Amino acid sequence: MISKNSIVFLIIILSSFTSFSQEKFTLSGTITDHKNNETLIGVNIYIPSLKIGTTTNEYGFYSLTVPAGEQQIEISYVGYQSIQQTINLNQNTKNNFSLNEGGEELQEVVITDNKGKANIKSPEMSTNKLSIATIKKMPVVLGEVDVLKSILLLPGVTNAGEGASGFNVRGGGADQNLILLDEATIFNSSHVFGFFSVFNPDAIKDLKLYKGGIPARYGGRASSVLDIYQKDGSSKDFHMNGGIGLISSRLLAEGPLVKDKGSFLIGGRASYAHLFLKLSEDNKDNAAYFYDLNTKLSYKVNDNNSLYLSGYFGRDVFSINKSFSNTYGNATLNLRWNHLFSDKLFSNLSLIYSDYYYGLDLDFVGFKWDSGIKNYNIKYDFKHYISDKFKLNYGLSGIYYEFNPGTIKPTGEASGINPDQLDKKYAFEPSVYLDAESQVSKKITIAYGLRYSLFYRLGSSTVNYYANNNPVVFNTNTEIYEKGKPTSTAYFGKNKVIQDYNNLEPRFAISYQLNDDQSFKASYNRMAQYLQLISNTSSPTPLDVWMPSDKYIKPQIADQIALGYFRNLNNGAYSLEVETYYKKIQNRLDYIDGADLIANDAIEQVILNGQMRAYGLEVMFKKNEGKFNGWISYTLSKSEQQTPGRTPEETGINNGQWYSSAYDKTHNLAITSAYNLNDKWSFGANFALQSGQPVTYPNSQYEYLGIKVPNYGLRNENRLPAYHHLDVSATLTSRKNKNRNWKGEWVFSIYNLYNRQNAASINFRQNVDSGANEAVKTSIFGIVPAVSYNFKF
């Protein structure tokens, strides 16, 4: 490990890049929304004459050290009016700014239009940030605004099919995405099996997706990080807003606890489509609905200390004729303390709880099954603004996991049978990290860091041991994989270490600025993922079970490099981003044919460790201003897996050759646009086109006892038909909104305008009349019109 003295020496050397020939002072403060004191994340603070700047952190704080004297400062943020102000620095100064959405002029402040330019100077790349205002203008299925559906329009991001849960980034699996809501892990991001996401757009403040070049403060997943923060709530005035739709409705309230110091936010959503089922005699005992609750309390103790308490709770309920009931969902809680040690050192201490629960009640067979995963996380992060050219982030965390693969409880007539508890599993994941950003010259800025992570698989648990350490055996006579038989078992008591791992995870990014409008960037990151989602479907389902790495399930290790070219055109009116990447992942799981994953207490007997690789080219062209704006994104990519045998007798999956992963999409084109006709009408449209996802089709059939049985070919050597659809929307805003407290708008949308019958799946069955096998396509959506009414007061 790196010694403490080495770190201090490194800081001193890197700090020497800064020139001390001129007296300097620090300008720091917080930037908020003028209407409600909501802190703003990622606001740009820039001094043109010095060509230096910074951005606000996750809590709206900034710090910038500049030469003494009179300086002109520019502050810009997408969706808000930019400001220019002259400040005379003769001492360290705290200066808080409030940004306006409107165009009203402020005293001694010059307001200019802010454009969504590409970030040329920063080494940050492979990231996308979407404002909630942009997301709400996008037409979506069933009229419900959806955060996750919006990121599918970004380059390098796809889904696993229509109505499928999760998302795939740069050829990775949905389980390889770290999804954070106010720093708490969300293990299942979907409602109603993927039709909606768990994120209430009214409660969301900021969304940022990291596809590569991931900072060292993030860890635990192999492909991406989706970092989402909830609003703090208004500390000025009480407000309510919400929406009423055909499928669901939502309502959010926010207001001050103590004027200008403390605030609260509480928001809820619920669907009610299942109520219409009860109008039918055949469906009166069926149900399919969701509900969720977002909460947050914020309190500014003084200029140097703030407290936050945020939480989320959501549930989905699905039942059929009172004989089958399924309940699942997330719950999170996070208590945070922001402390400002000085105008250059900001800290955040978080205590986080996250729980994903899955319950299944099968009355017709007489048992109830509960499963899930819980984690308890403590983390302490520091942001150190050492100079105008050198910034340092560092911190540590510790996560304790509790895994419940399944508790089976007999019910009804079977209640006399003893309950069965599958072996619970426990783990501990500590980590430390150091991240730095340094401006080496006027043209070159670098970011680099190191994360050191450890993982301990803990008892109490029983571990199986196998001959030659092979839980999966290849039978040369039948040419199939078979489950191995344990040669012995061992019991490990509570908190006894069963298996441990440790990994160094370096991160590096560099930006070379050709001029003020264009730059080249490159990045590398290594990520270690110690949790595995046990699933043999391309789209995660609520039934899937999370498992810790152990003796047989090894941690996934991902290495990714990316190169990019970024350019602003016509003074930022347009921007172009081009990136190419290559990613390789060790220890990616796949499953033997016919693997049984449900209630399996020896899951190692049906899994195989392989490797994965993905590479591609991404292009994004944006129009950033004017009545008509939007973007076009295109991705050309390949995602493959290889699962070779471990012995000369084993051939592995697909004879040990590379094969398409379930998330491989060769082509991915997305076009999104918005047009503001006037202050009354605005319009939006999205078009998506993707290659069909890989599937396995039968290539022959044989007859057994008069039944024609399909014989399937190599894994994932076929594809579903191409996936595409066009969605449109129109928003009607009353002109009376300007003169009254109650503001409302009508949103009319059509999903899948030309009624494309996309294939969610293709199954094969025997035709009852001809006796021959036939292919049957399942489509979820045709054309779907929707209308919703949104309001606020």
Side-chain angles (χ1 to χ4, degrees):
M1 291 183 61
I2 300 174
S3 69
K4 181 178 179 182
N5 290 337
S6 297
I7 294 175
V8 173
F9 178 74
L10 178 65
I11 294 174
I12 293 173
I13 293 297
L14 292 172
S15 299
S16 65
F17 286 127
T18 306
S19 173
F20 292 96
S21 59
Q22 182 178 1
E23 187 178 17
K24 295 186 176 184
F25 295 107
T26 299
L27 175 67
S28 63
T30 302
I31 299 181
T32 59
D33 187 312
H34 180 72
K35 291 189 306 183
N36 50 30
N37 285 336
E38 184 84 37
T39 57
L40 300 176
I41 303 173
V43 178
N44 295 302
I45 302 96
Y46 186 65
I47 299 179
S49 60
L50 303 175
K51 292 188 176 182
I52 61 172
T54 188
T55 59
T56 56
N57 66 11
E58 293 82 357
Y59 298 92
F61 176 79
Y62 77 94
S63 178
L64 191 62
T65 301
V66 296
E70 192 173 89
Q71 303 289 354
Q72 187 181 59
I73 184 170
E74 292 183 355
I75 300 175
S76 62
Y77 189 58
V78 175
Y80 288 76
Q81 294 292 327
S82 299
I83 62 176
Q84 297 177 353
Q85 186 172 4
T86 300
I87 297 175
N88 189 13
L89 284 177
N90 51 29
Q91 61 181 351
N92 292 336
T93 303
K94 283 189 177 181
N95 200 332
N96 299 327
F97 293 93
S98 294
L99 298 185
N100 291 269
E101 290 183 345
E104 56 265 30
E105 295 189 6
L106 305 178
Q107 186 177 5
E108 297 181 359
V109 174
V110 178
I111 300 179
T112 60
D113 290 331
N114 179 39
K115 305 166 184 177
K117 297 180 180 179
N119 194 335
I120 301 300
K121 192 168 187 177
S122 169
E124 181 180 82
M125 64 180 299
S126 304
T127 62
N128 295 105
K129 182 176 179 180
L130 290 177
S131 70
I132 293 302
T134 299
I135 293 172
K136 287 185 175 182
K137 291 179 180 179
M138 294 180 178
V140 292
V141 64
L142 301 176
E144 178 71 24
V145 173
D146 197 305
V147 170
L148 290 189
K149 294 293 188 293
S150 66
I151 67 174
L152 297 177
L153 298 167
L154 299 172
V157 186
T158 63
N159 63 0
E162 199 159 46
S165 61
F167 58 97
N168 307 113
V169 176
R170 289 185 169 177
D175 61 306
Q176 294 175 327
N177 304 318
L178 177 63
I179 303 175
L180 301 173
L181 179 63
D182 275 352
E183 301 179 343
T185 303
I186 299 293
F187 287 97
N188 188 315
S189 60
S190 299
H191 281 310
V192 196
F193 304 101
F195 291 111
F196 307 101
S197 78
V198 300
F199 305 109
N200 182 347
D202 290 338
I204 302 304
K205 171 166 63 174
D206 185 83
L207 176 155
K208 196 169 188 179
L209 175 67
Y210 297 86
K211 299 178 294 186
I214 301 172
R217 67 179 181 273
Y218 298 108
R221 296 295 186 274
S223 276
S224 75
V225 177
L226 179 60
D227 200 3
I228 301 175
Y229 280 86
Q230 294 187 125
K231 294 178 181 177
D232 299 333
S234 174
S235 63
K236 283 192 172 183
D237 302 294
F238 177 80
H239 297 286
M240 293 187 72
N241 63 279
I244 302 172
L246 297 178
I247 302 299
S248 65
S249 291
R250 63 191 191 277
L251 184 66
L252 180 138
E254 58 180 320
L257 291 172
V258 179
K259 189 75 171 181
D260 294 327
K261 292 193 68 175
S263 63
F264 75 89
L265 177 145
I266 181 168
R269 289 189 304 171
S271 66
Y272 38 72
H274 67 288
L275 298 178
F276 299 108
L277 296 176
K278 299 185 181 300
L279 300 178
S280 168
E281 187 66 25
D282 294 335
N283 295 310
K284 66 178 182 179
D285 293 325
N286 298 340
Y289 62 92
F290 72 87
Y291 58 90
D292 53 29
L293 179 70
N294 296 77
T295 60
K296 192 166 186 179
L297 300 175
S298 307
Y299 185 71
K300 185 177 180 180
V301 180
N302 52 42
D303 289 342
N304 295 330
N305 294 279
S306 296
L307 295 173
Y308 303 87
L309 178 65
S310 59
Y312 169 83
F313 180 84
R315 284 292 182 267
D316 280 73
V317 178
F318 179 71
S319 63
I320 300 176
N321 294 328
K322 297 183 178 179
S323 61
F324 171 91
S325 179
N326 179 204
T327 304
Y328 64 93
N330 299 276
T332 68
L333 189 68
N334 186 5
L335 175 63
R336 285 170 289 169
W337 170 44
N338 286 176
H339 177 64
L340 194 62
F341 285 96
S342 70
D343 51 13
K344 292 187 176 184
L345 182 57
F346 178 93
S347 71
N348 177 67
L349 175 66
S350 298
L351 304 175
I352 307 168
Y353 168 77
S354 181
D355 176 20
Y356 173 66
Y357 166 80
Y358 178 84
L360 189 63
D361 195 344
L362 300 175
D363 282 349
F364 65 94
V365 294
F367 79 84
K368 182 178 181 181
W369 183 34
D370 294 331
S371 65
I373 176 175
K374 297 178 181 178
N375 74 30
Y376 308 85
N377 183 7
I378 179 170
K379 58 193 294 285
Y380 205 7
D381 299 300
F382 298 86
K383 296 183 181 296
H384 204 158
Y385 304 83
I386 294 177
S387 73
D388 59 315
K389 296 182 179 179
F390 184 64
K391 303 176 183 64
L392 199 63
N393 297 336
Y394 46 91
L396 68 165
S397 70
I399 308 175
Y400 181 81
Y401 297 97
E402 179 182 324
F403 303 83
N404 180 14
T407 304
I408 301 175
K409 301 176 182 178
T411 61
E413 295 181 0
S415 58
I417 302 175
N418 292 329
D420 185 19
Q421 171 65 62
L422 298 182
D423 218 6
K424 286 189 175 182
K425 297 172 173 60
Y426 305 89
F428 180 57
E429 182 182 350
S431 62
V432 296
Y433 74 89
L434 178 68
D435 243 335
E437 181 176 325
S438 176
Q439 183 179 347
V440 179
S441 67
K442 291 183 178 180
K443 291 183 177 291
I444 299 176
T445 304
I446 59 175
Y448 43 95
L450 184 66
R451 183 181 183 88
Y452 180 59
S453 61
L454 303 99
F455 189 82
Y456 299 95
R457 167 79 162 84
L458 304 174
S460 53
S461 186
T462 299
V463 177
N464 296 324
Y465 292 92
Y466 300 85
N468 299 320
N469 204 30
N470 283 342
V472 183
V473 178
F474 186 73
N475 188 319
T476 56
N477 295 323
T478 59
E479 295 186 354
I480 61 172
Y481 283 100
E482 293 182 344
K483 297 178 182 179
K485 295 181 180 179
T487 56
S488 63
T489 61
Y491 177 77
F492 289 79
K494 187 175 182 180
N495 293 329
K496 295 293 184 182
V497 177
I498 299 173
Q499 184 75 34
D500 65 275
Y501 295 96
N502 66 87
N503 283 284
L504 284 171
E505 304 174 42
R507 318 289 170 87
F508 178 80
I510 183 170
S511 170
Y512 179 77
Q513 192 172 350
L514 298 174
N515 51 46
D516 289 342
D517 292 320
Q518 55 184 331
S519 66
F520 286 103
K521 299 183 184 183
S523 69
Y524 164 77
N525 63 256
R526 165 168 282 205
M527 306 282 284
Q529 179 170 336
Y530 299 103
L531 306 188
Q532 311 281 4
L533 185 64
I534 304 302
S535 171
N536 57 2
T537 63
S538 59
S539 172
T541 70
L543 191 60
D544 299 335
V545 176
W546 288 90
M547 298 282 286
S549 293
D550 57 19
K551 183 177 179 64
Y552 306 106
I553 302 177
K554 301 184 183 300
Q556 298 180 62
I557 307 297
D559 292 281
Q560 181 178 193
I561 58 173
L563 301 172
Y565 171 72
F566 301 81
R567 183 169 185 174
N568 287 313
L569 305 167
N570 195 19
N571 196 28
Y574 302 89
S575 58
L576 175 67
E577 301 176 12
V578 181
E579 292 192 39
T580 184
Y581 65 89
Y582 179 84
K583 176 168 55 179
K584 189 170 183 179
I585 301 176
Q586 306 171 44
N587 303 321
R588 181 62 175 167
L589 295 183
D590 212 331
Y591 305 89
I592 66 173
D593 293 332
D596 182 10
L597 305 182
I598 300 176
N600 190 339
D601 218 358
I603 204 74
E604 69 274 4
Q605 295 178 358
V606 295
I607 62 174
L608 297 168
N609 282 293
Q611 60 179 330
M612 178 180 174
R613 67 185 180 192
Y615 46 91
L617 174 70
E618 300 172 355
V619 181
M620 188 173 188
F621 180 75
K622 296 172 62 180
K623 186 178 186 299
N624 299 315
E625 62 177 37
K627 285 191 171 185
F628 178 78
N629 53 70
W631 67 80
I632 300 174
S633 71
Y634 172 72
T635 306
L636 176 66
S637 63
K638 185 65 181 174
S639 175
E640 299 175 300
Q641 289 184 226
Q642 184 186 46
T643 312
R646 296 157 299 174
T647 66
E649 293 77 23
E650 293 181 350
T651 59
I653 295 176
N654 286 13
N655 299 316
Q657 301 300 310
W658 288 97
Y659 56 96
S660 296
S661 73
Y663 343 103
D664 179 44
K665 302 287 182 69
T666 307
H667 302 283
N668 179 23
L669 172 68
I671 303 173
T672 183
S673 60
Y675 178 67
N676 293 316
L677 179 64
N678 50 44
D679 58 357
K680 186 175 182 180
W681 283 99
S682 61
F683 302 91
N686 297 332
F687 175 74
L689 170 64
Q690 298 177 9
S691 299
Q693 69 185 73
V695 291
T696 306
Y697 289 159
N699 55 13
S700 62
Q701 65 180 20
Y702 59 92
E703 188 170 325
Y704 178 75
L705 298 178
I707 300 175
K708 289 184 173 62
V709 181
N711 183 51
Y712 285 83
L714 296 176
R715 192 171 297 187
N716 290 346
E717 68 173 347
N718 308 106
R719 286 186 181 272
L720 292 175
Y723 169 91
H724 54 87
H725 62 87
L726 172 65
D727 315 323
V728 296
S729 69
T731 302
L732 172 61
T733 304
S734 173
R735 288 194 172 105
K736 296 179 181 179
N737 282 351
K738 295 181 179 180
N739 302 317
R740 60 184 181 184
N741 291 328
W742 179 281
K743 302 181 187 299
E745 64 179 20
W746 288 94
V747 180
F748 308 93
S749 64
I750 301 177
Y751 178 87
N752 196 8
L753 181 64
Y754 52 83
N755 199 28
R756 164 71 175 180
Q757 300 295 308
N758 287 300
S761 65
I762 293 181
N763 299 309
F764 294 84
R765 68 185 183 188
Q766 187 175 19
N767 187 286
V768 293
D769 297 323
S770 66
N773 282 304
E774 61 182 4
V776 180
K777 182 178 76 171
T778 301
S779 297
I780 298 177
F781 291 119
I783 184 171
V784 183
V787 60
S788 59
Y789 177 72
N790 299 323
F791 60 89
K792 59 182 177 180
F793 60 89

